[in-house]
């Protein structure tokens, strides 16, 4: 089996990203201080997100920091406060910083079956549409 040439590999990568981008629009709208709002839908759930691009890293090399809020097992108002705190808790030197709002208010809000599907769509969309390097995706969180 012969290997790919550099041009063939580049073409294959472009085709793969184009396929990933289909249906992964992640349409963002500006909200404040450079943050953008968007939603991810999967497993009959909706995950609201706020994200911001920091630094001047070129597309395809950007890290993605997914920052999960604390809370859980509390009224929506409490978890909304935790999410609002998480949004501006960190400011990386470079890359996309995304703070999702857990789609439920249960005690195990980040450990439910739908979270894997939602995070998969989030990561795929950020890679396909917003220049994230799939080898530089990081999860972090606070408390929960």
């Amino acid at each position: 089996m012969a290997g790919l040439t550099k041009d063939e590999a580049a073409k294959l990568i472009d085709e793969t990203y184009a396929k990933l981008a289909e249906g992964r629009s992640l349409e963002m709208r500006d909200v404040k201080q450079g943050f953008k709002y968007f939603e991810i839908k999967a497993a009959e759930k909706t995950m609201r997100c706020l994200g911001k691009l920091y630094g001047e890293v070129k597309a395809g090399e950007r890290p993605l920091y997914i920052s999960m809020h604390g809370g859980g097992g509390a009224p929506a108002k409490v978890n909304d406060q935790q999410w609002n705190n998480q949004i501006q808790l960190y400011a990386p030197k470079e890359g996309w910083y995304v703070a999702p709002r857990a789609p439920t208010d249960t005690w195990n809000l980040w450990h439910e079956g739908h979270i894997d599907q939602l995070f998969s769509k989030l990561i795929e969309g950020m890679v396909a549409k917003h220049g994230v390097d799939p080898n530089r995706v990081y999860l972090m969180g606070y408390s929960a």
Side-chain angles (χ1 to χ4, degrees):
M1 178 179 196
L4 295 174
T5 67
K6 188 174 182 178
D7 289 340
E8 290 170 333
K11 182 179 177 186
L12 185 59
I13 289 169
D14 290 343
E15 290 171 359
T16 301
Y17 280 125
K19 286 179 185 174
L20 271 177
E22 293 173 15
R24 305 268 193 281
S25 64
L26 287 191
E27 292 186 29
M28 299 180 172
R29 64 177 163 88
D30 292 326
V31 282
K32 64 178 179 176
Q33 299 173 342
F35 281 92
K36 298 179 182 301
Y37 175 86
F38 60 99
E39 295 179 348
I40 306 293
K41 295 178 189 276
E44 300 180 15
K45 299 286 185 191
T46 299
M47 185 170 67
R48 298 176 287 157
C49 299
L50 282 169
K52 185 174 183 177
L53 178 60
Y54 289 89
E56 300 293 327
V57 181
K58 73 179 187 174
E61 297 180 7
R62 296 174 179 151
L64 169 61
Y65 303 94
I66 300 172
S67 187
M68 299 169 284
H69 65 82
K77 179 179 176 181
V78 173
N79 290 318
D80 286 341
Q81 178 201 21
Q82 292 293 318
W83 180 42
N84 286 320
N85 180 60
Q86 197 73 25
I87 291 165
Q88 296 187 45
L89 194 57
Y90 302 103
K93 182 179 174 183
E94 62 182 28
W96 276 100
Y97 174 78
V98 174
R101 167 53 164 97
T104 67
D105 296 306
T106 58
W107 68 271
N108 59 341
L109 44 79
W110 296 116
H111 304 283
E112 296 187 79
H114 56 265
I115 295 299
D116 289 347
Q117 292 176 26
L118 289 163
F119 275 23
S120 289
K121 285 185 84 171
L122 168 63
I123 294 166
E124 289 170 5
M126 294 301 290
V127 168
K129 293 286 193 174
H130 299 287
V132 165
D133 177 348
N135 294 311
R136 297 181 72 194
V137 176
Y138 308 98
L139 296 176
M140 58 189 187
Y142 182 81
S143 183

